[in-house]
Amino acid sequence: MCSPGEAAPGPAPAGDLPPEWETDDERMAFLFSAFKQSREVNSTEWDSKMAFWVGLVLARGRRRGAVRTCLRELQNGFERRGSVPLGLGTVLRELLRRGKLQRESDFMASVDSSWISWGVGVFILKPLKWTLSSVLGDSKIPEEEEVLIYVELLQEKAEEVYRLYQNSALSSHPVVALSELRSLCAGLCPDERTFYLLLLQLQKEKRVTILEQNGEKIVKFARGLHAKVSPMNDVDIGVYQLMQSEQLLSQKVESLSQEAEKCKEDARSACRAGKKQLALRCLKAKRRTERRIGELHSKLDAVQGILDRIYASQTDQMV
């Protein structure tokens, strides 16, 4: 399907269409007609029609900011007075030939995407008829719902993901949880499928590598805008686990602090009500909780000290 789980976009707004769209019925009738089987019949008309639609298709993708499209979505987008352009399939085939579009199935096949969980509905294994395009070339017209990718837009958005990471707090270490990166990119990636495509593009460029560790996917970024990512090693995984421990310890300290404060308030309430035994129990619980907080603080300080030394050594290496 072209856009699984999403409503198909409607027709393009009038402001995004050329002036003749509403004013020149004769010109639009020509543009909405099918292409001749051979360009040689009338190369001038063929080239004129192709240039019109190529510009419009690429502009629509950039305006929407969506890296994915399909023939049906474009037909709906360019519907005019109940008619759809009959030559859009030929236009898409030409864009595939020029490398402006790429079949999503071919793109995924070109990247080592073994980290993708195929069974969760993010991607589906491509049917055999899609894989044939890799062997036969892009000579066939795409099917109505076959997903196509705007190549340049995908590359630009992948670059945005990389810069977004570089300018965030997550960049203090090159390894991050996939879930954290997804949250960081929520404004840039409208859906999970687009997010995975952008990561695949970065992986293709050797700027990230992805590993599944204890059921969780973790991402390692290259250090520096023009650097290539190195393979994930035991040190990367160890540092990532330390970072996770730091986060869990901080959350536990926060939770226990709230618990200690509650014990304190309960003790005050019990005192005001004349319930001395209950007040003493609450104070004892508060002291136990504070001792536990102190123990966790010691562990947290130790973990943070190790991470600080690691970050300092990495900074020295970069310098």
Side-chain angles (χ1 to χ4, degrees), residues 66-115:
V67 300
R68 301 162 56 241
T69 190
C70 65
L71 178 55
R72 176 171 293 179
E73 185 269 316
L74 290 169
Q75 287 172 335
N76 291 337
F78 294 126
E79 182 179 342
R80 180 181 185 269
R81 300 177 186 176
S83 300
V84 297
L86 299 179
L88 270 182
T90 304
V91 174
L92 295 185
R93 182 176 62 187
E94 177 65 14
L95 285 169
L96 286 166
R97 187 189 69 80
R98 296 183 188 181
K100 297 295 185 181
L101 292 178
Q102 184 178 14
R103 287 180 166 86
E104 184 185 57
S105 55
D106 291 343
F107 172 74
M108 288 191 292
S110 71
V111 186
D112 175 18
S113 53
S114 57
W115 51 271

Side-chain angles (χ1 to χ4, degrees), residues 249-263:
L249 285 169
S250 297
Q251 291 172 352
K252 186 63 176 175
V253 167
E254 177 65 24
S255 174
L256 287 175
S257 297
Q258 293 175 0
E259 186 178 328
E261 187 62 29
K262 183 177 183 302
C263 289

Side-chain angles (χ1 to χ4, degrees), residues 1-270:
M1 296 292 290
C2 177
S3 301
E6 300 174 4
D16 295 325
L17 298 170
E20 63 263 40
W21 192 272
E22 293 296 336
T23 60
D24 193 338
D25 289 341
E26 183 178 350
R27 167 74 171 157
M28 295 312 300
F30 161 69
L31 292 170
F32 267 62
S33 64
F35 282 82
K36 303 293 184 184
Q37 286 190 347
S38 173
R39 175 179 174 275
E40 304 307 319
V41 173
N42 190 327
S43 60
T44 301
E45 286 190 355
W46 201 96
D47 290 345
S48 171
K49 185 187 295 186
M50 181 61 69
F52 175 87
W53 286 113
V54 162
L56 216 54
V57 168
L58 295 178
R60 176 176 171 81
R62 190 162 292 281
R63 176 181 59 80
R64 293 182 60 231
V67 300
R68 301 162 56 241
T69 190
C70 65
L71 178 55
R72 176 171 293 179
E73 185 269 316
L74 290 169
Q75 287 172 335
N76 291 337
F78 294 126
E79 182 179 342
R80 180 181 185 269
R81 300 177 186 176
S83 300
V84 297
L86 299 179
L88 270 182
T90 304
V91 174
L92 295 185
R93 182 176 62 187
E94 177 65 14
L95 285 169
L96 286 166
R97 187 189 69 80
R98 296 183 188 181
K100 297 295 185 181
L101 292 178
Q102 184 178 14
R103 287 180 166 86
E104 184 185 57
S105 55
D106 291 343
F107 172 74
M108 288 191 292
S110 71
V111 186
D112 175 18
S113 53
S114 57
W115 51 271
I116 295 178
S117 298
W118 296 99
V120 299
V122 176
F123 288 112
I124 56 171
L125 288 171
K126 48 193 175 296
L128 179 61
K129 62 183 179 181
W130 285 10
T131 63
L132 287 176
S133 66
S134 301
V135 180
L136 302 177
D138 292 321
S139 59
K140 71 182 184 75
I141 290 176
E143 298 179 16
E144 282 193 342
E145 295 186 350
E146 186 175 0
V147 180
L148 307 173
I149 295 172
Y150 291 102
V151 175
E152 290 182 3
L153 199 56
L154 180 70
Q155 293 169 348
E156 290 171 12
K157 283 189 170 290
E159 179 69 22
E160 287 184 53
V161 168
Y162 190 81
R163 291 185 182 277
L164 192 61
Y165 157 78
Q166 290 285 356
N167 294 326
S168 73
L170 296 178
S171 64
S172 59
H173 185 68
V175 179
V176 298
L178 185 70
S179 55
E180 290 181 304
L181 187 62
R182 177 71 184 101
S183 298
L184 178 68
C185 300
L188 181 63
C189 306
D191 56 78
E192 192 172 24
R193 188 160 181 157
T194 299
F195 173 66
Y196 275 84
L197 284 172
L198 298 181
L199 273 188
L200 281 170
Q201 177 62 32
L202 287 172
Q203 184 175 345
K204 186 176 183 179
E205 297 171 2
K206 301 188 184 304
R207 302 172 81 180
V208 304
T209 184
I210 296 97
L211 178 72
E212 188 160 342
Q213 177 74 11
N214 298 325
E216 183 180 22
K217 295 182 181 66
I218 55 178
V219 185
K220 181 179 180 181
F221 280 81
R223 304 293 277 184
L225 290 176
H226 304 292
K228 301 295 183 185
V229 67
S230 58
M232 196 92 69
N233 56 39
D234 291 341
V235 174
D236 294 322
I237 295 170
V239 173
Y240 171 76
Q241 289 172 338
L242 278 172
M243 292 169 65
Q244 294 300 103
S245 298
E246 179 189 27
Q247 185 176 355
L248 289 173
L249 285 169
S250 297
Q251 291 172 352
K252 186 63 176 175
V253 167
E254 177 65 24
S255 174
L256 287 175
S257 297
Q258 293 175 0
E259 186 178 328
E261 187 62 29
K262 183 177 183 302
C263 289
K264 181 179 177 181
E265 291 300 323
D266 289 346
R268 287 176 177 172
S269 298

